[in-house]
């Protein structure tokens, strides 16, 4: 999507040296637009763990490129296979909840295993990394087209007034390679001149809504308003939300949705106010091995993230202390929204109900 | 309650000069404990509007003392009555949602009107200001005793493990003259050595949970954990919350509850997980004139409060910018939780259901 009028993806190869991966270091947004160059698995693991890159699809694509870097490193090491296996373990350990991470690494391991020589393995890993990224982009584009129909439907009842979409966290193009999941339908609508307005949950404690979603919508010219995470229910009670669309870090084959902490509360409010609640996800975010959302591991992050706030001041990122130094804090990254609260899933193959039968009708290759 | 082992109230008269009001300036908590001295109506209006003092009961008590200062000023002005009426209007305009503000000012106007001379009016206003504060304190103490029974009941099923109470915003002693509403039962339980633990919602954008609730619980030695506003649903899904207790800025005579934005979302999660959801309030927070929660005016505060974060760094309060400068934000202060989601109201006269009949059985003098 657009940054200052120029088209960007979130991750790409340095066009002058394809052994280097470039990515937008999202920690500095919206204050500074920083491009980071990554040349080692260790750097990529840090970039994922420390959230220079984040979001289901982008974590997958980054892991894909990370495994490509692993093959380059492996060629210069004593034992190619051992190095690749270790790199896979290192990358897998960075974030526990996003299933795309494992999915991308497994795909790479299968690809790399087919190589006859070190150079062949590197070539295969490069091709797969590109395919993972291209597929992510294409799936998000398709999610946009399918979700667009939902927005068009509502727009017909709004008499030219904007369709109000509420979203939580960032499931925009910054969370993927391009387009995004939850925001792809919004961009598709905006690009077709359908009036659309987004309520942006700030999404504490890392404020991905205020920092990333607001920024990317603003850069692309989409009208939006930042709200506290607590405000969505009030807006729905007042009829100010026509549609909720969120992303997902992992969705079970039965339709339970793990997403950023607080998603469940918005789903409850949507149900209570009869607002449609959609989850947009590429098929790479399904976990076909888990039947119940309660089995999804929920990442707990450090307490300091919650007790402090960071932002821009005097030309630099500064962290300030909000809570008492000696008060403990618990920082859960995700929650699980049970399928009964989900109106539908928007996937690259179309929109379906959040139940096993409907999901497997769209993805019959995963029926066991 | 205790601050560093010493007993404090939130507002009091300077013992050496009763024409001066002293209050804890809560803007600096938890980082510094600052006492502000207020000698004019204008200063008191600023203290309420700019939230040096906040919380239903404390806003009422502050307005009571503010009207007392108004009579002192009036005695030195050309027209006593005009000055008092203007002061009342000035104080009423500071915050729109808390009904205690109007309630305290009306009580003062009735008292002052009974005075025969300026000095008599001042004496009456002083007596009334003290009564408003003393009544607030006593009502909160009683709320603690009634709410304690609910905690005791749950404690009997917990086999010595702590009773987990979730609260939103600050309805502790800092929001009243002493004891608090939502936290009064917690303090009562803790003081009786019942094991109790509080999940403290950070309560963006002003972070009253992280800043005030965590601080006052810590000062009094009550175990607690700060969580994101989004985390309460997840904790309830996991069985980690036994009881929700929140305060109220205004409750209708039919039981609809206006409280800090986000309360409604917690009430939905409590219902979905069969967790009892109680609202603690002194009778001064009832609005006997309103039958439907949707009629309660909801304060909207400045967008900057949401787009920035403030905290302590290098020995001073600092504000950092979180969101893009050109992104708009909407900052609703309160929401309304419909009575169907409220298990019960904890008042100074006992616990009742959140419906008109039950409320009027406890407060028959308000039956029309």
């Amino acid at each position: 999507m657009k940054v200052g009028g120029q088209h960007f993806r979130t991750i790409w190869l340095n066009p002058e040296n394809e052994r280097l991966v470039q990515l937008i270091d999202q920690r500095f947004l919206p204050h500074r637009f920083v491009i980071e160059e990554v040349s080692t698995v260790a750097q990529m693991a840090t970039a994922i763990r420390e959230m220079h890159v984040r979001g289901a699809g982008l974590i997958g694509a980054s892991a894909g490129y990370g495994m490509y870097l692993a093959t380059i490193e492996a060629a210069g090491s004593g034992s190619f296979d051992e190095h690749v296996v270790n790199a896979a373990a290192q990358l897998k350990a960075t974030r526990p909840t996003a299933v795309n991470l494992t999915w991308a690494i497994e795909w790479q391991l299968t690809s790399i295993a087919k190589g006859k020589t070190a150079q062949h393995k590197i070539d295969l890993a490069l091709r797969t990394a590109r395919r993972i990224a291209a597929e992510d982009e294409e799936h998000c584009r398709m999610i946009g087209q399918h979700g667009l129909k939902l927005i068009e439907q509502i727009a017909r009842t709004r008499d030219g007034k904007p369709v109000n979409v509420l979203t939580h966290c960032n499931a925009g193009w910054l969370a993927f390679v391009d387009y995004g999941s939850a925001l792809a339908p919004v961009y598709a609508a905006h690009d077709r001149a359908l009036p659309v307005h987004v309520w942006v949950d700030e999404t504490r404690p890392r404020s991905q809504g205020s920092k990333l979603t607001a920024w990317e919508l603003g850069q692309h010219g989409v009208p939006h308003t930042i709200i506290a995470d607590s405000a969505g229910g009030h807006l729905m009670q007042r009829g100010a939300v026509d549609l909720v669309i969120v992303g997902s870090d992992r969705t079970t084959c039965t339709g339970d949705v793990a997403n950023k902490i607080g998603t469940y509360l918005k789903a409850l409010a949507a149900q209570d106010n009869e607002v449609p609640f959609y989850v947009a996800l590429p098929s790479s975010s399904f976990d076909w091995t888990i039947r119940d959302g309660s089995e999804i591991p929920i990442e707990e992050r450090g307490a300091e993230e919650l007790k402090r706030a960071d932002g821009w001041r005097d030309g630099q990122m500064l962290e300030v202390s909000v809570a008492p130094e000696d008060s403990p804090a618990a920082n859960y990254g995700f929650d699980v929204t049970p399928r009964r609260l989900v109106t539908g899933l928007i996937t690259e193959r179309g929109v379906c109900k959040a139940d096993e039968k409907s999901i497997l009708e769209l993805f019959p290759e995963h029926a066991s």
Side-chain angles (χ1 to χ4, degrees), chain A:
Chain A
M1 306 302 289
K2 297 277 172 63
V3 178
Q6 196 187 334
H7 182 257
F8 269 92
R9 292 190 180 81
T10 51
I11 190 165
W12 62 91
L13 290 177
N14 182 331
E16 277 151 33
N17 179 355
E18 291 203 337
R19 293 177 155 235
L20 300 173
V21 181
Q22 295 187 314
L23 48 86
I24 302 171
D25 185 345
Q26 303 188 14
R27 293 173 303 164
F28 297 95
L29 291 175
H31 316 292
R32 258 172 52 194
F33 184 73
V34 174
I35 292 171
E36 181 181 2
E37 195 155 76
V38 170
S39 60
T40 68
V41 174
Q43 286 171 1
M44 188 62 87
T46 300
I48 299 173
R49 190 178 49 246
E50 306 292 333
M51 297 175 70
H52 311 189
V53 290
R54 23 65 56 201
L58 179 52
I59 288 174
S62 302
Y65 282 114
M67 288 303 294
Y68 159 59
L69 295 175
T71 58
I72 298 173
E73 285 176 4
S77 79
S79 162
F80 193 102
D81 291 350
E82 195 185 320
H83 188 89
V84 166
V85 166
N86 288 343
Q90 191 182 353
L91 289 167
K92 267 192 200 174
T94 51
R95 301 284 307 275
T97 302
V99 73
N100 298 61
L101 185 65
T102 308
W103 168 86
I105 293 167
E106 292 297 332
W107 188 354
Q108 277 286 25
L109 287 174
T110 308
S111 294
I112 294 164
K114 290 179 189 151
K116 312 273 189 244
T117 63
Q119 187 55 49
H120 189 201
K121 285 173 195 278
I122 293 173
D123 293 345
L124 288 172
L126 173 59
R127 198 192 301 170
T128 302
R130 282 186 161 140
R131 252 188 85 184
I132 290 169
E135 186 180 296
D136 183 79
E137 186 180 333
E138 175 60 11
H139 285 180
C140 286
R141 197 185 66 77
M142 289 306 300
I143 286 169
Q145 295 308 307
H146 294 302
L148 170 63
K149 291 174 208 148
L150 299 171
I151 296 179
E152 282 174 336
Q153 227 167 21
I154 294 169
R156 283 196 281 275
T157 69
R158 297 281 297 152
D159 260 343
K161 280 179 291 180
V163 175
N164 287 300
V165 178
L166 184 142
T167 194
H168 188 62
C169 197
N170 174 263
W173 73 269
L174 288 171
F176 292 85
V177 174
D178 205 351
Y179 299 104
S181 57
L183 294 188
V186 169
Y187 288 124
H190 180 78
D191 289 350
R192 289 208 184 185
L194 270 183
V196 62
H197 165 264
V198 183
W199 295 110
V200 178
D201 280 359
E202 66 167 335
T203 318
R204 282 280 298 160
R206 292 186 66 92
S207 307
Q208 293 97 329
S210 292
K211 289 180 176 174
L212 305 179
T213 300
W215 180 80
E216 62 162 273
L217 290 171
Q219 289 292 324
H220 203 76
V222 181
H224 62 280
T225 306
I226 300 167
I227 53 172
D229 297 323
S230 285
H234 175 66
L235 289 171
M236 292 188 220
Q237 285 177 312
R238 298 217 161 174
V241 180
D242 298 304
L243 176 66
V244 179
I245 315 180
V246 297
S248 171
D249 295 80
R250 190 186 301 212
T251 292
T252 66
C253 58
T254 57
D256 292 339
V257 174
N259 190 44
K260 180 59 54 196
I261 189 85
T263 300
Y264 166 56
L265 294 172
K266 301 303 144 57
L268 287 169
Q271 184 193 48
D272 201 45
N273 295 283
E274 298 177 15
V275 173
F277 182 93
Y278 283 92
V279 178
L281 74 163
S283 54
S284 53
S285 295
F286 280 107
D287 185 334
W288 304 103
T289 69
I290 286 186
R291 299 189 53 79
D292 191 300
S294 67
E295 295 169 43
I296 299 174
I298 299 297
E299 179 174 4
E300 283 190 51
R301 300 183 61 85
E304 288 310 307
E305 222 170 65
L306 197 58
K307 292 177 61 180
R308 298 184 177 178
D310 70 336
W312 198 250
R313 190 186 172 100
D314 302 331
Q316 59 180 319
M317 288 301 290
L318 270 191
E319 207 173 52
V320 295
S321 167
V322 177
E325 283 303 320
D326 46 1
S327 285
N331 184 9
Y332 304 95
F334 304 89
D335 62 19
V336 175
T337 299
R339 52 187 170 269
R340 67 185 152 86
L341 300 175
V342 178
T343 309
L345 305 174
I346 311 174
T347 77
E348 72 269 18
R349 294 198 192 159
V351 178
C352 72
K353 287 192 183 161
D355 61 53
E356 188 170 15
K357 188 169 159 286
S358 308
I359 293 168
L360 289 178
E361 272 171 20
L362 272 190
F363 298 95
E365 68 273 32
H366 291 284
S368 54

mmCIF file of all heavy atoms in Angstrom, chain A residues 97 99 250-256 286-297 339 356:
data_model
loop_
_atom_site.group_PDB
_atom_site.id
_atom_site.type_symbol
_atom_site.label_atom_id
_atom_site.label_comp_id
_atom_site.label_asym_id
_atom_site.label_seq_id
_atom_site.Cartn_x
_atom_site.Cartn_y
_atom_site.Cartn_z
ATOM 1 N N THR A 97 2.107 -17.749 19.574
ATOM 2 C CA THR A 97 0.686 -17.833 19.215
ATOM 3 C C THR A 97 0.442 -17.881 17.707
ATOM 4 O O THR A 97 -0.407 -18.635 17.228
ATOM 5 C CB THR A 97 -0.098 -16.675 19.874
ATOM 6 O OG1 THR A 97 0.077 -16.759 21.289
ATOM 7 C CG2 THR A 97 -1.580 -16.753 19.554
ATOM 8 N N VAL A 99 0.276 -18.978 14.191
ATOM 9 C CA VAL A 99 0.501 -20.286 13.591
ATOM 10 C C VAL A 99 1.252 -20.141 12.271
ATOM 11 O O VAL A 99 1.889 -21.079 11.804
ATOM 12 C CB VAL A 99 -0.836 -21.040 13.435
ATOM 13 C CG1 VAL A 99 -1.665 -20.451 12.309
ATOM 14 C CG2 VAL A 99 -0.615 -22.522 13.184
ATOM 15 N N ARG A 250 -4.444 -17.142 14.957
ATOM 16 C CA ARG A 250 -4.635 -18.580 14.793
ATOM 17 C C ARG A 250 -6.124 -18.876 14.946
ATOM 18 O O ARG A 250 -6.746 -18.448 15.911
ATOM 19 C CB ARG A 250 -3.831 -19.345 15.858
ATOM 20 C CG ARG A 250 -3.791 -20.838 15.578
ATOM 21 C CD ARG A 250 -3.143 -21.640 16.680
ATOM 22 N NE ARG A 250 -1.762 -21.302 17.003
ATOM 23 C CZ ARG A 250 -0.864 -22.204 17.431
ATOM 24 N NH1 ARG A 250 -1.214 -23.483 17.528
ATOM 25 N NH2 ARG A 250 0.353 -21.828 17.770
ATOM 26 N N THR A 251 -6.670 -19.605 13.997
ATOM 27 C CA THR A 251 -8.081 -19.992 14.060
ATOM 28 C C THR A 251 -8.160 -21.513 13.950
ATOM 29 O O THR A 251 -7.509 -22.105 13.093
ATOM 30 C CB THR A 251 -8.869 -19.312 12.921
ATOM 31 O OG1 THR A 251 -8.911 -17.895 13.175
ATOM 32 C CG2 THR A 251 -10.292 -19.833 12.824
ATOM 33 N N THR A 252 -8.923 -22.130 14.844
ATOM 34 C CA THR A 252 -9.025 -23.595 14.805
ATOM 35 C C THR A 252 -9.871 -24.025 13.604
ATOM 36 O O THR A 252 -10.618 -23.223 13.034
ATOM 37 C CB THR A 252 -9.695 -24.151 16.077
ATOM 38 O OG1 THR A 252 -11.064 -23.708 16.091
ATOM 39 C CG2 THR A 252 -8.996 -23.653 17.330
ATOM 40 N N CYS A 253 -9.780 -25.300 13.247
ATOM 41 C CA CYS A 253 -10.574 -25.807 12.122
ATOM 42 C C CYS A 253 -12.060 -25.818 12.467
ATOM 43 O O CYS A 253 -12.901 -26.026 11.602
ATOM 44 C CB CYS A 253 -10.100 -27.194 11.711
ATOM 45 S SG CYS A 253 -10.177 -28.401 13.033
ATOM 46 N N THR A 254 -12.393 -25.557 13.738
ATOM 47 C CA THR A 254 -13.801 -25.486 14.135
ATOM 48 C C THR A 254 -14.287 -24.037 14.226
ATOM 49 O O THR A 254 -15.455 -23.793 14.506
ATOM 50 C CB THR A 254 -13.991 -26.148 15.517
ATOM 51 O OG1 THR A 254 -13.122 -25.481 16.441
ATOM 52 C CG2 THR A 254 -13.644 -27.628 15.467
ATOM 53 N N GLY A 255 -13.394 -23.053 14.009
ATOM 54 C CA GLY A 255 -13.815 -21.655 13.939
ATOM 55 C C GLY A 255 -13.580 -20.808 15.169
ATOM 56 O O GLY A 255 -14.002 -19.646 15.217
ATOM 57 N N ASP A 256 -12.899 -21.341 16.184
ATOM 58 C CA ASP A 256 -12.520 -20.501 17.330
ATOM 59 C C ASP A 256 -11.327 -19.632 16.929
ATOM 60 O O ASP A 256 -10.393 -20.117 16.293
ATOM 61 C CB ASP A 256 -12.124 -21.352 18.544
ATOM 62 C CG ASP A 256 -13.313 -22.103 19.132
ATOM 63 O OD1 ASP A 256 -14.463 -21.681 18.880
ATOM 64 O OD2 ASP A 256 -13.085 -23.102 19.834
ATOM 65 N N PHE A 286 -5.116 -20.712 9.698
ATOM 66 C CA PHE A 286 -5.866 -21.815 10.306
ATOM 67 C C PHE A 286 -4.900 -22.798 10.937
ATOM 68 O O PHE A 286 -3.829 -23.079 10.388
ATOM 69 C CB PHE A 286 -6.685 -22.572 9.244
ATOM 70 C CG PHE A 286 -7.977 -21.891 8.877
ATOM 71 C CD1 PHE A 286 -8.115 -21.254 7.650
ATOM 72 C CD2 PHE A 286 -9.044 -21.899 9.755
ATOM 73 C CE1 PHE A 286 -9.300 -20.623 7.301
ATOM 74 C CE2 PHE A 286 -10.247 -21.276 9.407
ATOM 75 C CZ PHE A 286 -10.376 -20.635 8.179
ATOM 76 N N ASP A 287 -5.283 -23.310 12.097
ATOM 77 C CA ASP A 287 -4.558 -24.430 12.676
ATOM 78 C C ASP A 287 -5.444 -25.661 12.504
ATOM 79 O O ASP A 287 -6.429 -25.830 13.216
ATOM 80 C CB ASP A 287 -4.257 -24.170 14.159
ATOM 81 C CG ASP A 287 -3.386 -25.266 14.752
ATOM 82 O OD1 ASP A 287 -3.418 -26.403 14.234
ATOM 83 O OD2 ASP A 287 -2.673 -24.985 15.733
ATOM 84 N N TRP A 288 -5.093 -26.491 11.534
ATOM 85 C CA TRP A 288 -5.951 -27.638 11.189
ATOM 86 C C TRP A 288 -5.836 -28.753 12.206
ATOM 87 O O TRP A 288 -6.578 -29.730 12.158
ATOM 88 C CB TRP A 288 -5.588 -28.148 9.779
ATOM 89 C CG TRP A 288 -5.682 -27.068 8.749
ATOM 90 C CD1 TRP A 288 -4.650 -26.385 8.185
ATOM 91 C CD2 TRP A 288 -6.882 -26.506 8.182
ATOM 92 N NE1 TRP A 288 -5.121 -25.439 7.300
ATOM 93 C CE2 TRP A 288 -6.495 -25.492 7.278
ATOM 94 C CE3 TRP A 288 -8.247 -26.764 8.353
ATOM 95 C CZ2 TRP A 288 -7.404 -24.729 6.549
ATOM 96 C CZ3 TRP A 288 -9.157 -26.008 7.629
ATOM 97 C CH2 TRP A 288 -8.737 -24.997 6.741
ATOM 98 N N THR A 289 -4.898 -28.615 13.166
ATOM 99 C CA THR A 289 -4.670 -29.709 14.120
ATOM 100 C C THR A 289 -5.397 -29.489 15.443
ATOM 101 O O THR A 289 -5.421 -30.378 16.284
ATOM 102 C CB THR A 289 -3.164 -29.840 14.443
ATOM 103 O OG1 THR A 289 -2.761 -28.684 15.205
ATOM 104 C CG2 THR A 289 -2.334 -29.905 13.173
ATOM 105 N N ILE A 290 -5.974 -28.309 15.637
ATOM 106 C CA ILE A 290 -6.582 -27.992 16.932
ATOM 107 C C ILE A 290 -8.094 -27.837 16.754
ATOM 108 O O ILE A 290 -8.554 -27.175 15.825
ATOM 109 C CB ILE A 290 -5.961 -26.697 17.519
ATOM 110 C CG1 ILE A 290 -4.557 -26.984 18.048
ATOM 111 C CG2 ILE A 290 -6.818 -26.138 18.638
ATOM 112 C CD1 ILE A 290 -3.920 -25.809 18.769
ATOM 113 N N ARG A 291 -8.848 -28.454 17.636
ATOM 114 C CA ARG A 291 -10.298 -28.399 17.508
ATOM 115 C C ARG A 291 -10.922 -27.393 18.477
ATOM 116 O O ARG A 291 -12.050 -26.956 18.273
ATOM 117 C CB ARG A 291 -10.919 -29.778 17.745
ATOM 118 C CG ARG A 291 -10.434 -30.835 16.743
ATOM 119 C CD ARG A 291 -11.246 -32.113 16.872
ATOM 120 N NE ARG A 291 -12.667 -31.825 16.775
ATOM 121 C CZ ARG A 291 -13.313 -31.604 15.630
ATOM 122 N NH1 ARG A 291 -12.660 -31.658 14.478
ATOM 123 N NH2 ARG A 291 -14.598 -31.337 15.643
ATOM 124 N N ASP A 292 -10.221 -27.064 19.534
ATOM 125 C CA ASP A 292 -10.829 -26.204 20.556
ATOM 126 C C ASP A 292 -9.906 -25.020 20.841
ATOM 127 O O ASP A 292 -8.717 -25.204 21.103
ATOM 128 C CB ASP A 292 -11.068 -27.013 21.832
ATOM 129 C CG ASP A 292 -11.933 -26.240 22.817
ATOM 130 O OD1 ASP A 292 -11.515 -25.134 23.232
ATOM 131 O OD2 ASP A 292 -13.032 -26.720 23.155
ATOM 132 N N GLY A 293 -10.485 -23.814 20.825
ATOM 133 C CA GLY A 293 -9.695 -22.605 21.004
ATOM 134 C C GLY A 293 -8.908 -22.575 22.299
ATOM 135 O O GLY A 293 -7.846 -21.957 22.377
ATOM 136 N N SER A 294 -9.419 -23.275 23.328
ATOM 137 C CA SER A 294 -8.730 -23.237 24.619
ATOM 138 C C SER A 294 -7.375 -23.942 24.550
ATOM 139 O O SER A 294 -6.547 -23.792 25.450
ATOM 140 C CB SER A 294 -9.604 -23.860 25.707
ATOM 141 O OG SER A 294 -9.750 -25.242 25.450
ATOM 142 N N GLU A 295 -7.125 -24.708 23.478
ATOM 143 C CA GLU A 295 -5.827 -25.386 23.336
ATOM 144 C C GLU A 295 -4.755 -24.467 22.736
ATOM 145 O O GLU A 295 -3.581 -24.827 22.679
ATOM 146 C CB GLU A 295 -5.960 -26.613 22.431
ATOM 147 C CG GLU A 295 -6.852 -27.714 22.990
ATOM 148 C CD GLU A 295 -7.148 -28.774 21.931
ATOM 149 O OE1 GLU A 295 -6.211 -29.166 21.207
ATOM 150 O OE2 GLU A 295 -8.323 -29.167 21.809
ATOM 151 N N ILE A 296 -5.157 -23.305 22.230
ATOM 152 C CA ILE A 296 -4.185 -22.405 21.599
ATOM 153 C C ILE A 296 -3.304 -21.778 22.678
ATOM 154 O O ILE A 296 -3.820 -21.209 23.642
ATOM 155 C CB ILE A 296 -4.907 -21.293 20.797
ATOM 156 C CG1 ILE A 296 -5.760 -21.924 19.683
ATOM 157 C CG2 ILE A 296 -3.906 -20.290 20.224
ATOM 158 C CD1 ILE A 296 -6.625 -20.929 18.915
ATOM 159 N N PRO A 297 -1.984 -21.884 22.555
ATOM 160 C CA PRO A 297 -1.115 -21.258 23.567
ATOM 161 C C PRO A 297 -1.215 -19.736 23.485
ATOM 162 O O PRO A 297 -1.201 -19.169 22.398
ATOM 163 C CB PRO A 297 0.292 -21.733 23.170
ATOM 164 C CG PRO A 297 0.190 -22.100 21.722
ATOM 165 C CD PRO A 297 -1.221 -22.530 21.469
ATOM 166 N N ARG A 339 -16.419 -19.471 18.484
ATOM 167 C CA ARG A 339 -17.043 -19.389 17.165
ATOM 168 C C ARG A 339 -18.486 -18.889 17.221
ATOM 169 O O ARG A 339 -18.966 -18.261 16.294
ATOM 170 C CB ARG A 339 -16.977 -20.748 16.465
ATOM 171 C CG ARG A 339 -17.502 -21.917 17.294
ATOM 172 C CD ARG A 339 -17.233 -23.250 16.591
ATOM 173 N NE ARG A 339 -17.502 -24.424 17.404
ATOM 174 C CZ ARG A 339 -16.597 -25.027 18.185
ATOM 175 N NH1 ARG A 339 -15.376 -24.543 18.290
ATOM 176 N NH2 ARG A 339 -16.920 -26.103 18.874
ATOM 177 N N GLU A 356 -16.924 -25.906 11.581
ATOM 178 C CA GLU A 356 -16.040 -26.857 10.909
ATOM 179 C C GLU A 356 -16.546 -27.219 9.511
ATOM 180 O O GLU A 356 -15.782 -27.237 8.544
ATOM 181 C CB GLU A 356 -15.906 -28.113 11.771
ATOM 182 C CG GLU A 356 -14.854 -29.068 11.240
ATOM 183 C CD GLU A 356 -14.553 -30.180 12.234
ATOM 184 O OE1 GLU A 356 -15.341 -30.364 13.190
ATOM 185 O OE2 GLU A 356 -13.529 -30.857 12.055
#
